[in-house]
PDB file of all heavy atoms in Angstrom:
ATOM      1  N   HIS A 165       0.812  -1.218   0.000  1.00  0.00           N
ATOM      2  CA  HIS A 165       0.000   0.000   0.000  1.00  0.00           C
ATOM      3  C   HIS A 165       0.850   1.274   0.000  1.00  0.00           C
ATOM      4  O   HIS A 165       0.299   2.377   0.028  1.00  0.00           O
ATOM      5  CB  HIS A 165      -0.926  -0.005   1.220  1.00  0.00           C
ATOM      6  CG  HIS A 165      -1.826  -1.197   1.287  1.00  0.00           C
ATOM      7  ND1 HIS A 165      -3.036  -1.251   0.630  1.00  0.00           N
ATOM      8  CD2 HIS A 165      -1.677  -2.389   1.916  1.00  0.00           C
ATOM      9  CE1 HIS A 165      -3.600  -2.430   0.855  1.00  0.00           C
ATOM     10  NE2 HIS A 165      -2.804  -3.136   1.635  1.00  0.00           N
ATOM     11  N   LEU A 166       2.172   1.114  -0.033  1.00  0.00           N
ATOM     12  CA  LEU A 166       3.040   2.290   0.036  1.00  0.00           C
ATOM     13  C   LEU A 166       2.930   3.209  -1.186  1.00  0.00           C
ATOM     14  O   LEU A 166       3.022   4.429  -1.032  1.00  0.00           O
ATOM     15  CB  LEU A 166       4.494   1.866   0.262  1.00  0.00           C
ATOM     16  CG  LEU A 166       4.781   1.237   1.631  1.00  0.00           C
ATOM     17  CD1 LEU A 166       6.258   0.851   1.740  1.00  0.00           C
ATOM     18  CD2 LEU A 166       4.392   2.174   2.765  1.00  0.00           C
ATOM     19  N   PRO A 167       2.753   2.686  -2.414  1.00  0.00           N
ATOM     20  CA  PRO A 167       2.591   3.615  -3.545  1.00  0.00           C
ATOM     21  C   PRO A 167       1.429   4.580  -3.336  1.00  0.00           C
ATOM     22  O   PRO A 167       1.557   5.794  -3.587  1.00  0.00           O
ATOM     23  CB  PRO A 167       2.345   2.686  -4.738  1.00  0.00           C
ATOM     24  CG  PRO A 167       3.028   1.406  -4.358  1.00  0.00           C
ATOM     25  CD  PRO A 167       2.808   1.285  -2.873  1.00  0.00           C
ATOM     26  N   GLU A 168       0.291   4.054  -2.853  1.00  0.00           N
ATOM     27  CA  GLU A 168      -0.858   4.927  -2.599  1.00  0.00           C
ATOM     28  C   GLU A 168      -0.584   5.896  -1.453  1.00  0.00           C
ATOM     29  O   GLU A 168      -1.060   7.040  -1.467  1.00  0.00           O
ATOM     30  CB  GLU A 168      -2.093   4.076  -2.270  1.00  0.00           C
ATOM     31  CG  GLU A 168      -2.625   3.254  -3.429  1.00  0.00           C
ATOM     32  CD  GLU A 168      -1.846   1.974  -3.656  1.00  0.00           C
ATOM     33  OE1 GLU A 168      -1.008   1.606  -2.779  1.00  0.00           O
ATOM     34  OE2 GLU A 168      -2.049   1.330  -4.706  1.00  0.00           O
ATOM     35  N   LEU A 169       0.200   5.451  -0.476  1.00  0.00           N
ATOM     36  CA  LEU A 169       0.514   6.328   0.657  1.00  0.00           C
ATOM     37  C   LEU A 169       1.405   7.488   0.218  1.00  0.00           C
ATOM     38  O   LEU A 169       1.238   8.620   0.677  1.00  0.00           O
ATOM     39  CB  LEU A 169       1.188   5.529   1.771  1.00  0.00           C
ATOM     40  CG  LEU A 169       1.484   6.291   3.064  1.00  0.00           C
ATOM     41  CD1 LEU A 169       0.231   6.928   3.638  1.00  0.00           C
ATOM     42  CD2 LEU A 169       2.129   5.366   4.096  1.00  0.00           C
ATOM     43  N   ILE A 170       2.344   7.222  -0.676  1.00  0.00           N
ATOM     44  CA  ILE A 170       3.191   8.303  -1.204  1.00  0.00           C
ATOM     45  C   ILE A 170       2.335   9.299  -1.988  1.00  0.00           C
ATOM     46  O   ILE A 170       2.502  10.520  -1.863  1.00  0.00           O
ATOM     47  CB  ILE A 170       4.322   7.725  -2.071  1.00  0.00           C
ATOM     48  CG1 ILE A 170       5.282   6.902  -1.205  1.00  0.00           C
ATOM     49  CG2 ILE A 170       5.085   8.851  -2.783  1.00  0.00           C
ATOM     50  CD1 ILE A 170       6.333   6.134  -1.987  1.00  0.00           C
ATOM     51  N   ASP A 171       1.406   8.783  -2.777  1.00  0.00           N
ATOM     52  CA  ASP A 171       0.478   9.665  -3.498  1.00  0.00           C
ATOM     53  C   ASP A 171      -0.360  10.485  -2.511  1.00  0.00           C
ATOM     54  O   ASP A 171      -0.634  11.672  -2.741  1.00  0.00           O
ATOM     55  CB  ASP A 171      -0.446   8.848  -4.407  1.00  0.00           C
ATOM     56  CG  ASP A 171       0.304   8.179  -5.547  1.00  0.00           C
ATOM     57  OD1 ASP A 171       1.432   8.614  -5.864  1.00  0.00           O
ATOM     58  OD2 ASP A 171      -0.236   7.203  -6.115  1.00  0.00           O
ATOM     59  N   PHE A 172      -0.762   9.839  -1.421  1.00  0.00           N
ATOM     60  CA  PHE A 172      -1.536  10.519  -0.380  1.00  0.00           C
ATOM     61  C   PHE A 172      -0.722  11.660   0.247  1.00  0.00           C
ATOM     62  O   PHE A 172      -1.245  12.758   0.469  1.00  0.00           O
ATOM     63  CB  PHE A 172      -1.941   9.504   0.690  1.00  0.00           C
ATOM     64  CG  PHE A 172      -2.405  10.108   1.986  1.00  0.00           C
ATOM     65  CD1 PHE A 172      -3.709  10.559   2.136  1.00  0.00           C
ATOM     66  CD2 PHE A 172      -1.534  10.219   3.061  1.00  0.00           C
ATOM     67  CE1 PHE A 172      -4.137  11.119   3.333  1.00  0.00           C
ATOM     68  CE2 PHE A 172      -1.955  10.775   4.263  1.00  0.00           C
ATOM     69  CZ  PHE A 172      -3.254  11.221   4.407  1.00  0.00           C
ATOM     70  N   ALA A 173       0.560  11.410   0.526  1.00  0.00           N
ATOM     71  CA  ALA A 173       1.424  12.452   1.094  1.00  0.00           C
ATOM     72  C   ALA A 173       1.526  13.636   0.142  1.00  0.00           C
ATOM     73  O   ALA A 173       1.494  14.800   0.562  1.00  0.00           O
ATOM     74  CB  ALA A 173       2.810  11.884   1.404  1.00  0.00           C
ATOM     75  N   ASP A 174       1.645  13.337  -1.147  1.00  0.00           N
ATOM     76  CA  ASP A 174       1.675  14.390  -2.165  1.00  0.00           C
ATOM     77  C   ASP A 174       0.385  15.205  -2.149  1.00  0.00           C
ATOM     78  O   ASP A 174       0.403  16.441  -2.133  1.00  0.00           O
ATOM     79  CB  ASP A 174       1.850  13.762  -3.545  1.00  0.00           C
ATOM     80  CG  ASP A 174       3.236  13.985  -4.111  1.00  0.00           C
ATOM     81  OD1 ASP A 174       4.082  14.573  -3.415  1.00  0.00           O
ATOM     82  OD2 ASP A 174       3.478  13.567  -5.261  1.00  0.00           O
ATOM     83  N   ALA A 175      -0.737  14.499  -2.172  1.00  0.00           N
ATOM     84  CA  ALA A 175      -2.033  15.174  -2.240  1.00  0.00           C
ATOM     85  C   ALA A 175      -2.327  15.969  -0.975  1.00  0.00           C
ATOM     86  O   ALA A 175      -3.042  16.977  -1.022  1.00  0.00           O
ATOM     87  CB  ALA A 175      -3.147  14.146  -2.473  1.00  0.00           C
ATOM     88  N   SER A 176      -1.765  15.560   0.158  1.00  0.00           N
ATOM     89  CA  SER A 176      -2.021  16.250   1.428  1.00  0.00           C
ATOM     90  C   SER A 176      -1.223  17.530   1.570  1.00  0.00           C
ATOM     91  O   SER A 176      -1.472  18.321   2.480  1.00  0.00           O
ATOM     92  CB  SER A 176      -1.703  15.314   2.604  1.00  0.00           C
ATOM     93  OG  SER A 176      -0.301  15.091   2.699  1.00  0.00           O
ATOM     94  N   GLY A 177      -0.234  17.730   0.679  1.00  0.00           N
ATOM     95  CA  GLY A 177       0.572  18.946   0.740  1.00  0.00           C
ATOM     96  C   GLY A 177       1.774  18.834   1.659  1.00  0.00           C
ATOM     97  O   GLY A 177       2.341  19.859   2.068  1.00  0.00           O
ATOM     98  N   ALA A 178       2.209  17.601   1.963  1.00  0.00           N
ATOM     99  CA  ALA A 178       3.381  17.425   2.821  1.00  0.00           C
ATOM    100  C   ALA A 178       4.637  17.904   2.109  1.00  0.00           C
ATOM    101  O   ALA A 178       4.823  17.652   0.916  1.00  0.00           O
ATOM    102  CB  ALA A 178       3.531  15.956   3.210  1.00  0.00           C
ATOM    103  N   GLY A 179       5.501  18.595   2.847  1.00  0.00           N
ATOM    104  CA  GLY A 179       6.769  19.036   2.279  1.00  0.00           C
ATOM    105  C   GLY A 179       7.841  17.977   2.366  1.00  0.00           C
ATOM    106  O   GLY A 179       8.778  17.950   1.569  1.00  0.00           O
ATOM    107  N   ILE A 180       7.722  17.088   3.351  1.00  0.00           N
ATOM    108  CA  ILE A 180       8.699  16.028   3.588  1.00  0.00           C
ATOM    109  C   ILE A 180       7.949  14.745   3.911  1.00  0.00           C
ATOM    110  O   ILE A 180       6.923  14.763   4.594  1.00  0.00           O
ATOM    111  CB  ILE A 180       9.636  16.377   4.774  1.00  0.00           C
ATOM    112  CG1 ILE A 180      10.371  17.706   4.540  1.00  0.00           C
ATOM    113  CG2 ILE A 180      10.645  15.260   5.024  1.00  0.00           C
ATOM    114  CD1 ILE A 180      11.103  18.225   5.763  1.00  0.00           C
ATOM    115  N   MET A 181       8.471  13.623   3.415  1.00  0.00           N
ATOM    116  CA  MET A 181       7.961  12.314   3.819  1.00  0.00           C
ATOM    117  C   MET A 181       9.137  11.461   4.257  1.00  0.00           C
ATOM    118  O   MET A 181      10.078  11.241   3.483  1.00  0.00           O
ATOM    119  CB  MET A 181       7.220  11.620   2.671  1.00  0.00           C
ATOM    120  CG  MET A 181       6.615  10.283   3.087  1.00  0.00           C
ATOM    121  SD  MET A 181       5.735   9.457   1.730  1.00  0.00           S
ATOM    122  CE  MET A 181       4.853   8.184   2.632  1.00  0.00           C
ATOM    123  N   LEU A 182       9.120  11.010   5.503  1.00  0.00           N
ATOM    124  CA  LEU A 182      10.153  10.102   5.994  1.00  0.00           C
ATOM    125  C   LEU A 182       9.620   8.678   5.925  1.00  0.00           C
ATOM    126  O   LEU A 182       8.562   8.374   6.460  1.00  0.00           O
ATOM    127  CB  LEU A 182      10.552  10.441   7.433  1.00  0.00           C
ATOM    128  CG  LEU A 182      11.269  11.772   7.662  1.00  0.00           C
ATOM    129  CD1 LEU A 182      11.780  11.862   9.098  1.00  0.00           C
ATOM    130  CD2 LEU A 182      12.422  11.979   6.676  1.00  0.00           C
ATOM    131  N   MET A 183      10.378   7.813   5.245  1.00  0.00           N
ATOM    132  CA  MET A 183       9.994   6.422   5.058  1.00  0.00           C
ATOM    133  C   MET A 183      10.892   5.545   5.936  1.00  0.00           C
ATOM    134  O   MET A 183      12.005   5.187   5.564  1.00  0.00           O
ATOM    135  CB  MET A 183      10.134   6.031   3.586  1.00  0.00           C
ATOM    136  CG  MET A 183       9.667   4.629   3.267  1.00  0.00           C
ATOM    137  SD  MET A 183       7.865   4.452   3.304  1.00  0.00           S
ATOM    138  CE  MET A 183       7.413   5.320   1.780  1.00  0.00           C
ATOM    139  N   TYR A 184      10.411   5.244   7.130  1.00  0.00           N
ATOM    140  CA  TYR A 184      11.156   4.391   8.053  1.00  0.00           C
ATOM    141  C   TYR A 184      11.056   2.934   7.613  1.00  0.00           C
ATOM    142  O   TYR A 184      10.014   2.487   7.128  1.00  0.00           O
ATOM    143  CB  TYR A 184      10.592   4.494   9.473  1.00  0.00           C
ATOM    144  CG  TYR A 184      10.866   5.799  10.172  1.00  0.00           C
ATOM    145  CD1 TYR A 184      10.149   6.951   9.849  1.00  0.00           C
ATOM    146  CD2 TYR A 184      11.823   5.885  11.177  1.00  0.00           C
ATOM    147  CE1 TYR A 184      10.388   8.155  10.499  1.00  0.00           C
ATOM    148  CE2 TYR A 184      12.062   7.086  11.841  1.00  0.00           C
ATOM    149  CZ  TYR A 184      11.348   8.209  11.494  1.00  0.00           C
ATOM    150  OH  TYR A 184      11.586   9.393  12.139  1.00  0.00           O
ATOM    151  N   GLN A 185      12.143   2.191   7.817  1.00  0.00           N
ATOM    152  CA  GLN A 185      12.075   0.743   7.690  1.00  0.00           C
ATOM    153  C   GLN A 185      11.994   0.153   9.088  1.00  0.00           C
ATOM    154  O   GLN A 185      12.747   0.552   9.981  1.00  0.00           O
ATOM    155  CB  GLN A 185      13.305   0.197   6.963  1.00  0.00           C
ATOM    156  CG  GLN A 185      13.328   0.525   5.477  1.00  0.00           C
ATOM    157  CD  GLN A 185      14.439  -0.205   4.753  1.00  0.00           C
ATOM    158  OE1 GLN A 185      14.765  -1.332   5.071  1.00  0.00           O
ATOM    159  NE2 GLN A 185      15.013   0.452   3.754  1.00  0.00           N
ATOM    160  N   LEU A 186      11.088  -0.777   9.282  1.00  0.00           N
ATOM    161  CA  LEU A 186      10.890  -1.372  10.595  1.00  0.00           C
ATOM    162  C   LEU A 186      12.163  -2.068  11.073  1.00  0.00           C
ATOM    163  O   LEU A 186      12.744  -2.882  10.366  1.00  0.00           O
ATOM    164  CB  LEU A 186       9.741  -2.379  10.555  1.00  0.00           C
ATOM    165  CG  LEU A 186       9.435  -3.112  11.862  1.00  0.00           C
ATOM    166  CD1 LEU A 186       8.963  -2.139  12.928  1.00  0.00           C
ATOM    167  CD2 LEU A 186       8.386  -4.197  11.636  1.00  0.00           C
ATOM    168  N   VAL A 187      12.601  -1.714  12.281  1.00  0.00           N
ATOM    169  CA  VAL A 187      13.708  -2.398  12.945  1.00  0.00           C
ATOM    170  C   VAL A 187      13.117  -3.116  14.147  1.00  0.00           C
ATOM    171  O   VAL A 187      12.332  -2.532  14.906  1.00  0.00           O
ATOM    172  CB  VAL A 187      14.806  -1.403  13.386  1.00  0.00           C
ATOM    173  CG1 VAL A 187      15.940  -2.132  14.103  1.00  0.00           C
ATOM    174  CG2 VAL A 187      15.348  -0.641  12.173  1.00  0.00           C
ATOM    175  N   ALA A 188      13.476  -4.380  14.338  1.00  0.00           N
ATOM    176  CA  ALA A 188      12.830  -5.224  15.339  1.00  0.00           C
ATOM    177  C   ALA A 188      13.315  -4.898  16.749  1.00  0.00           C
ATOM    178  O   ALA A 188      14.058  -5.652  17.379  1.00  0.00           O
ATOM    179  CB  ALA A 188      13.069  -6.695  15.025  1.00  0.00           C
ATOM    180  N   VAL A 189      12.891  -3.735  17.261  1.00  0.00           N
ATOM    181  CA  VAL A 189      13.181  -3.344  18.641  1.00  0.00           C
ATOM    182  C   VAL A 189      11.874  -2.884  19.275  1.00  0.00           C
ATOM    183  O   VAL A 189      10.888  -2.620  18.591  1.00  0.00           O
ATOM    184  CB  VAL A 189      14.234  -2.217  18.717  1.00  0.00           C
ATOM    185  CG1 VAL A 189      15.557  -2.683  18.149  1.00  0.00           C
ATOM    186  CG2 VAL A 189      13.753  -0.959  17.989  1.00  0.00           C
ATOM    187  N   GLY A 190      11.855  -2.756  20.612  1.00  0.00           N
ATOM    188  CA  GLY A 190      10.648  -2.348  21.309  1.00  0.00           C
ATOM    189  C   GLY A 190       9.529  -3.349  21.053  1.00  0.00           C
ATOM    190  O   GLY A 190       9.742  -4.556  21.027  1.00  0.00           O
ATOM    191  N   ARG A 191       8.300  -2.860  20.850  1.00  0.00           N
ATOM    192  CA  ARG A 191       7.200  -3.764  20.518  1.00  0.00           C
ATOM    193  C   ARG A 191       7.425  -4.427  19.171  1.00  0.00           C
ATOM    194  O   ARG A 191       6.883  -5.481  18.876  1.00  0.00           O
ATOM    195  CB  ARG A 191       5.862  -3.008  20.516  1.00  0.00           C
ATOM    196  CG  ARG A 191       5.296  -2.788  21.900  1.00  0.00           C
ATOM    197  CD  ARG A 191       3.794  -2.524  21.837  1.00  0.00           C
ATOM    198  NE  ARG A 191       3.454  -1.268  21.228  1.00  0.00           N
ATOM    199  CZ  ARG A 191       3.362  -0.106  21.867  1.00  0.00           C
ATOM    200  NH1 ARG A 191       3.634  -0.050  23.154  1.00  0.00           N
ATOM    201  NH2 ARG A 191       3.029   0.987  21.239  1.00  0.00           N
ATOM    202  N   GLY A 192       8.261  -3.773  18.326  1.00  0.00           N
ATOM    203  CA  GLY A 192       8.564  -4.340  17.015  1.00  0.00           C
ATOM    204  C   GLY A 192       9.238  -5.696  17.093  1.00  0.00           C
ATOM    205  O   GLY A 192       9.200  -6.479  16.137  1.00  0.00           O
ATOM    206  N   GLU A 193       9.878  -6.027  18.257  1.00  0.00           N
ATOM    207  CA  GLU A 193      10.491  -7.341  18.409  1.00  0.00           C
ATOM    208  C   GLU A 193       9.461  -8.446  18.253  1.00  0.00           C
ATOM    209  O   GLU A 193       9.758  -9.538  17.791  1.00  0.00           O
ATOM    210  CB  GLU A 193      11.162  -7.449  19.783  1.00  0.00           C
ATOM    211  CG  GLU A 193      12.414  -6.591  19.930  1.00  0.00           C
ATOM    212  CD  GLU A 193      13.000  -6.694  21.321  1.00  0.00           C
ATOM    213  OE1 GLU A 193      12.290  -7.172  22.230  1.00  0.00           O
ATOM    214  OE2 GLU A 193      14.161  -6.291  21.499  1.00  0.00           O
ATOM    215  N   LYS A 194       8.226  -8.165  18.685  1.00  0.00           N
ATOM    216  CA  LYS A 194       7.175  -9.178  18.661  1.00  0.00           C
ATOM    217  C   LYS A 194       6.634  -9.420  17.256  1.00  0.00           C
ATOM    218  O   LYS A 194       5.926 -10.385  17.024  1.00  0.00           O
ATOM    219  CB  LYS A 194       6.040  -8.760  19.594  1.00  0.00           C
ATOM    220  CG  LYS A 194       6.481  -8.614  21.053  1.00  0.00           C
ATOM    221  CD  LYS A 194       5.340  -8.136  21.930  1.00  0.00           C
ATOM    222  CE  LYS A 194       5.805  -7.946  23.374  1.00  0.00           C
ATOM    223  NZ  LYS A 194       4.711  -7.437  24.239  1.00  0.00           N
ATOM    224  N   ILE A 195       6.954  -8.546  16.328  1.00  0.00           N
ATOM    225  CA  ILE A 195       6.475  -8.726  14.959  1.00  0.00           C
ATOM    226  C   ILE A 195       7.662  -8.716  14.001  1.00  0.00           C
ATOM    227  O   ILE A 195       7.620  -8.106  12.946  1.00  0.00           O
ATOM    228  CB  ILE A 195       5.442  -7.652  14.556  1.00  0.00           C
ATOM    229  CG1 ILE A 195       6.024  -6.237  14.731  1.00  0.00           C
ATOM    230  CG2 ILE A 195       4.159  -7.801  15.316  1.00  0.00           C
ATOM    231  CD1 ILE A 195       5.250  -5.210  13.952  1.00  0.00           C
ATOM    232  N   GLU A 196       8.732  -9.412  14.415  1.00  0.00           N
ATOM    233  CA  GLU A 196       9.906  -9.482  13.555  1.00  0.00           C
ATOM    234  C   GLU A 196       9.550  -9.988  12.167  1.00  0.00           C
ATOM    235  O   GLU A 196      10.160  -9.608  11.165  1.00  0.00           O
ATOM    236  CB  GLU A 196      10.974 -10.382  14.188  1.00  0.00           C
ATOM    237  CG  GLU A 196      12.280 -10.416  13.406  1.00  0.00           C
ATOM    238  CD  GLU A 196      13.333 -11.273  14.079  1.00  0.00           C
ATOM    239  OE1 GLU A 196      13.191 -11.590  15.257  1.00  0.00           O
ATOM    240  OE2 GLU A 196      14.309 -11.620  13.383  1.00  0.00           O
ATOM    241  N   LYS A 197       8.503 -10.839  12.098  1.00  0.00           N
ATOM    242  CA  LYS A 197       8.066 -11.356  10.802  1.00  0.00           C
ATOM    243  C   LYS A 197       7.582 -10.242   9.886  1.00  0.00           C
ATOM    244  O   LYS A 197       7.497 -10.426   8.668  1.00  0.00           O
ATOM    245  CB  LYS A 197       6.957 -12.387  10.998  1.00  0.00           C
ATOM    246  CG  LYS A 197       5.677 -11.818  11.605  1.00  0.00           C
ATOM    247  CD  LYS A 197       4.628 -12.896  11.795  1.00  0.00           C
ATOM    248  CE  LYS A 197       3.338 -12.315  12.398  1.00  0.00           C
ATOM    249  NZ  LYS A 197       2.302 -13.337  12.602  1.00  0.00           N
ATOM    250  N   ALA A 198       7.271  -9.078  10.458  1.00  0.00           N
ATOM    251  CA  ALA A 198       6.783  -7.963   9.647  1.00  0.00           C
ATOM    252  C   ALA A 198       7.915  -7.110   9.081  1.00  0.00           C
ATOM    253  O   ALA A 198       7.678  -6.239   8.256  1.00  0.00           O
ATOM    254  CB  ALA A 198       5.845  -7.078  10.457  1.00  0.00           C
ATOM    255  N   THR A 199       9.157  -7.344   9.543  1.00  0.00           N
ATOM    256  CA  THR A 199      10.272  -6.579   8.990  1.00  0.00           C
ATOM    257  C   THR A 199      10.462  -6.966   7.525  1.00  0.00           C
ATOM    258  O   THR A 199      10.241  -8.118   7.131  1.00  0.00           O
ATOM    259  CB  THR A 199      11.575  -6.842   9.762  1.00  0.00           C
ATOM    260  OG1 THR A 199      11.889  -8.236   9.709  1.00  0.00           O
ATOM    261  CG2 THR A 199      11.446  -6.414  11.206  1.00  0.00           C
TER     262      THR A 199
END
């Protein structure tokens, strides 16, 4: 769904979009399969 999200950021008038990649720390450790 990221292509649509980038289009959404454009349409919303955002000046910057930061695209984080999930790192398996914190609660993210429990969803390492999602990295």
Side-chain angles (χ1 to χ4, degrees):
H165 302 275
L166 292 180
E168 292 80 11
L169 184 56
I170 294 172
D171 293 341
F172 164 82
D174 253 3
S176 70
I180 303 169
M181 183 180 193
L182 293 189
M183 184 73 73
Y184 289 76
Q185 289 189 36
L186 179 64
V187 179
V189 297
R191 280 201 292 272
E193 290 178 344
K194 299 177 182 178
I195 56 161
E196 185 178 344
K197 64 181 180 180
T199 59

